[in-house]
Structures are given as C-alpha cells and as structure tokens.
Amino acid sequence: MDAERTELAGADILVEDGRIAALGGGGPGDRAGWESIDAAGCVVTPALVNTHHHLFQTLTRAVPACQDALLFAWLGALYPVWARMRPEDIFVSAQLGLAELALSGCGTSADHLYLYPDGVRLEDTIEAAATIGLRFHATRGAMSVGESAGGLPPDRLVEREADIIEDCIRVVDAFHDRSDGAMVRVGIAPCSPFSVSRELMRDAALLAGDKEVRLHTHLAENAEDVAFSLETFGCRPGDYAESLGWVGDHVWHAHCVELDAREIALFARTGTGVAHCPSSNCRLGSGVAPLRAMRDAGIAVGLGVDGSASNDSGSLLPEARQAMLMQRARLGADAMGAREALEIATLGGARILGRAGEIGSIEVGKRADLAIWDVSGLAAAGAWDPVAALVLCGPFTVRDLFVEGRPVVRDGRLTTVDPVALAETARRRVARLAS
Ligand SMILES: [Zn+2]
C-alpha cells in the first residue's frame, strides 16, 4: 500500500530495529538469532491508523438512554455519567479501546480526551497506550462553555480557559515526542464549536502554531451542528474554522458530514485533513459524509472509529468496509473500491496525523507497523481476491500485529494484556458508573 498501491505476492519483509529493512524475495537466510514468521495463506498490510476516538467512552457502550438519540440529546444523556469518571476509569477504558483496536489490525491511534473530571489527566490515556503497545497520538481536548453560558455540557464538566491552555502547554512539553518513530505525540483539541468559546479556539490554534503540534476538533457533524454555527456565529462551520486559524496541513477535523462544496474546496486548498467516522455517523443518524467529493478534491482523509458510545464497536477494519458501502449506497457501486478503502485506513490516516513518512505503507525505511491477516479460514474461503476480501468479506480479527517491530497480537491473542482480566476490570467499573 505505497503511493502506487504496489502488491507483492510471496514476498518477505525483513524487520530490524523497529524498521522495515528489506522487502522482496529470498528471506533472511540462516542468520542466527533472527525470528522468522510464516505468513503463508495471509495478507500482510500496513497496520491500520485510527484518526478519531474518545477512549474514555468505551465504558459507556450501549447505554440504554443513549441508544437511539441524535447527537445533542445523546450528549445530554451521557455527560452526567462521564462527569463521574475517575482516573482509573479513564485508564481502563483506554486500555479496553486500544486492545480492541489492536485486534482489528490498528497500530496507531489518535485519541480525543475532552473532559477531565475528578483529577483525570491526559497521561491516564498515554500510560494506557504504553501498556497495550500501540503508537499513540493523544490530544488535549477541552470544554469551557457550560449550560449557564449557552453551551451544551453541564457546568461541572467545563474548565476555565486559562487552566486549559496551561495544561495544553504542560502535556505538550512533557509528552510530545518529535523524533522519527515516536510512540507518543500530543495535539491540541478543544472539543467542538458548541462547547468552547471563540477565544479558546483562536488561542488553541495560536498555541499549536507556537508549539508546532497538530490541531483537532469536531466540525460540521450534522444538521444541528451547522444550525448552531449559523445561529451562534452567523456563519457556516468552515468559515468559522478559517476565521480562527483552524485550517492548514497541521489541522484535522472529525466528521465533516455537512461540509458543502465551498468548504470542501477550502479544506483541499489549505491541506486541512478529515477524520471520517462512518459507523458513528450512521449510529447517530448524522448522515453520509461527502467522502467521494473530499477525496476527489484532494483532501487527506483518514478513518475514525469515534468514541465507543457512538459506534459502539471500536474495531477499525469494519470502518473501511462501512466507508466504502456508504459511498456506494449514495453514489453507486463504482463510487469506492476495497483498495481505496484500505488506502484511507492506512496511508490516509498516516497523512492526517503527519506520519506519512513513517507509517501507513510497507516500504523500506518505514517503521515496522504490520498487520498479518489470515485469509485461509472460513471468513474469506471462496474469495478470489484476498486483498479485496479484507474489506468485502469478514469480519476478521488480525492474526499478528507488530508496532515498531514489536508484537502486540500473536495468533489472534494480545501479547501485552490479559483480555479476560481487562474485561472483568471494566465490568466492575461499569457497575459503579451505572449505579
Ligand atoms: Zn468524536
């Protein structure tokens, strides 16, 4: 899955020091001490890249009051539960979400943590990612406009804007790793135009420019969101973003379901990226994002599972299928192919996280982030094209996942955490939240 979408059959991949050192035939030979992994009957892809998630939501999946609500009502029902989360909840919820992503072949994930109740800190998610072994782009989210000031979240969940900026500086300075192959990077991510002020959006953009880190938020998610923008700011979401410094090749916006043709042109012209979250958009009835038009305009688009309160699965490969199917449902069977969906899931995501030079394709010199899919079993039996089968057939769990050359999944099992114990811990924490 390089820029030319080269596919090699029967090839070997030599991994050394966390990088892809060689590619082609011949194998490693008889070098002593080298581990050899037989991937016969498998497809090897770049590890997938998830560009939008709220890992704290994994403990609030399938909540009865929120199963059938539109975005704003859905948020209103969940805020009171999230307000009672503790640092241990955030840590466990993040482990759970990242473990699920790993099993779906994802090697790198962004996360958007925008609420900080009861001593919660961004490092609760960063530490969780280290225990699972995924490459992690933590973003310091925030909400500052509560109900009493005309915002959507309850006042107890919002922070003072000066405190938010101060903590953004703290976490960038403490955790943002600029080195090649970095396992942790940090971005700045006020939650959405309907939960922070114009001033915070502007200041966040200025800070991201000063610190040379990436900017992320939710934009134009559904019709309610656009109506809020028109009523409150007197302009469409794209104009609002542009006026506050929220376009550019260091910016990516989640959803963008309601971008119009002018906004698509703006994003394309400025290099602004989009995290497309097809299942979440279906789940919340938000609509079908103009993915085909965005891609045709040259916008960098990656996939996002979105938070597990609005999916409620956290598996990434099915999002590639869902993205493809939704475009076909709207535009016809030739609107998007399986290979394009895989490209969006890998290289597309790498581009909008600023990592296209390191991950997203299997090329010599890139990091050894590899997903090995066994297509010899029932799920793909009968398939004539094993690569397309990853998207057209399934569901699949990854056989092996390597991140920076290190095994995270082997033979379909996580190597880094015990999934049974993790699920049990999650069950206990959910019982407290539910009570
Ligand atoms: Zn989201």
Side-chain angles (χ1 to χ4, degrees):
M1 194 55 71
D2 58 13
E4 279 76 47
R5 293 206 197 139
T6 309
E7 290 173 18
L8 305 172
D12 298 299
I13 302 169
L14 185 69
V15 171
E16 188 173 20
D17 297 331
R19 282 179 195 270
I20 296 166
L23 204 54
D30 56 356
R31 297 188 208 197
W34 285 65
E35 184 184 3
S36 181
I37 292 160
D38 185 0
C42 298
V43 174
V44 185
T45 67
L48 310 186
V49 180
N50 180 44
T51 61
H52 187 66
H53 209 327
H54 310 287
L55 288 163
F56 72 90
Q57 295 179 5
T58 317
L59 291 184
T60 51
R61 298 208 249 212
V63 173
C66 315
Q67 286 173 13
D68 306 315
L70 283 178
L71 177 66
F72 283 14
W74 171 87
L75 282 168
L78 283 163
Y79 284 140
V81 182
W82 295 336
R84 285 166 178 79
M85 294 186 89
R86 296 171 179 165
E88 305 80 41
D89 294 315
I90 303 292
F91 179 82
V92 170
S93 196
Q95 281 189 311
L96 209 57
L98 291 164
E100 191 178 10
L101 277 173
L103 289 168
S104 70
C106 174
T108 296
S109 184
D111 186 49
H112 187 188
L113 180 60
Y114 55 77
L115 39 85
Y116 293 82
D118 207 4
V120 168
R121 299 179 305 165
L122 189 67
E123 45 266 55
D124 296 324
T125 59
I126 293 172
E127 288 162 11
T131 68
I132 304 295
L134 291 204
R135 209 179 288 285
F136 194 54
H137 281 232
T139 65
R140 206 305 182 181
M143 300 194 293
S144 65
V145 181
E147 265 170 330
S148 64
L152 202 63
D155 289 352
R156 61 180 296 193
L157 264 184
V158 304
E159 299 173 89
R160 287 179 55 238
E161 298 198 342
D163 295 341
I164 291 166
I165 291 295
E166 195 179 320
D167 198 51
C168 286
I169 294 168
R170 179 187 73 83
V171 293
V172 168
D173 289 347
F175 301 110
H176 185 64
D177 180 353
R178 297 173 194 279
S179 67
D180 194 38
M183 291 297 289
V184 177
R185 293 225 172 127
V186 176
I188 296 172
C191 182
S192 62
F194 54 80
S195 57
V196 304
S197 73
R198 189 187 292 268
E199 290 69 32
L200 186 67
M201 290 293 282
R202 184 202 56 210
D203 291 350
L206 291 171
L207 178 61
D210 281 351
K211 293 285 186 186
E212 296 182 329
V213 296
R214 302 182 93 74
L215 270 178
H216 181 50
T217 193
H218 297 97
L219 203 78
E221 181 162 351
N222 70 358
E224 284 177 302
D225 196 357
V226 175
F228 181 93
S229 183
L230 290 169
E231 191 181 320
T232 312
F233 310 122
C235 62
R236 288 190 52 87
D239 296 320
Y240 185 67
E242 186 180 25
S243 72
L244 296 170
W246 276 80
V247 292
D249 61 8
H250 64 299
V251 184
W252 85 105
H253 294 285
H255 302 301
C256 299
V257 171
E258 292 289 339
L259 284 196
D260 67 15
R262 200 171 50 84
E263 290 168 315
I264 289 172
L266 168 70
F267 276 37
R269 194 168 65 242
T270 54
T272 309
V274 171
H276 175 49
C277 307
S279 291
S280 172
N281 296 159
C282 288
R283 161 73 156 86
L284 293 174
S286 300
V288 181
L291 177 60
R292 181 72 275 150
M294 292 193 283
R295 291 268 303 172
D296 289 346
I299 294 176
V301 183
L303 289 181
V305 295
D306 203 0
S308 282
S310 68
N311 185 319
D312 299 322
S313 161
S315 293
L316 189 52
L317 185 62
E319 297 300 321
R321 174 178 167 87
Q322 187 74 7
M324 178 192 75
L325 293 179
M326 282 169 73
Q327 294 307 302
R328 289 179 177 213
R330 170 157 283 186
L331 301 170
D334 60 351
M336 180 163 288
R339 284 172 170 77
E340 184 175 6
L342 283 174
E343 184 191 319
I344 295 169
T346 52
L347 209 47
R351 274 179 74 189
I352 67 174
L353 295 183
R355 307 298 295 265
E358 301 161 81
I359 59 172
S361 60
I362 302 175
E363 293 180 77
V364 173
K366 280 204 167 183
R367 315 312 303 188
D369 289 14
L370 302 165
I372 303 180
W373 307 90
D374 186 349
V375 290
S376 67
L378 212 56
W384 291 29
D385 176 346
V387 176
L390 289 178
V391 177
L392 291 169
C393 305
F396 295 98
T397 298
V398 78
R399 191 193 82 173
D400 303 300
L401 177 72
F402 294 87
V403 177
E404 194 68 5
R406 293 187 286 263
V408 176
V409 179
R410 290 302 303 271
D411 293 326
R413 290 191 185 84
L414 290 160
T415 64
T416 48
V417 291
D418 174 0
V420 176
L422 182 56
E424 173 56 22
T425 304
R427 196 194 57 75
R428 282 200 307 273
R429 305 215 75 91
V430 166
R432 186 189 69 80
L433 286 169
S435 73

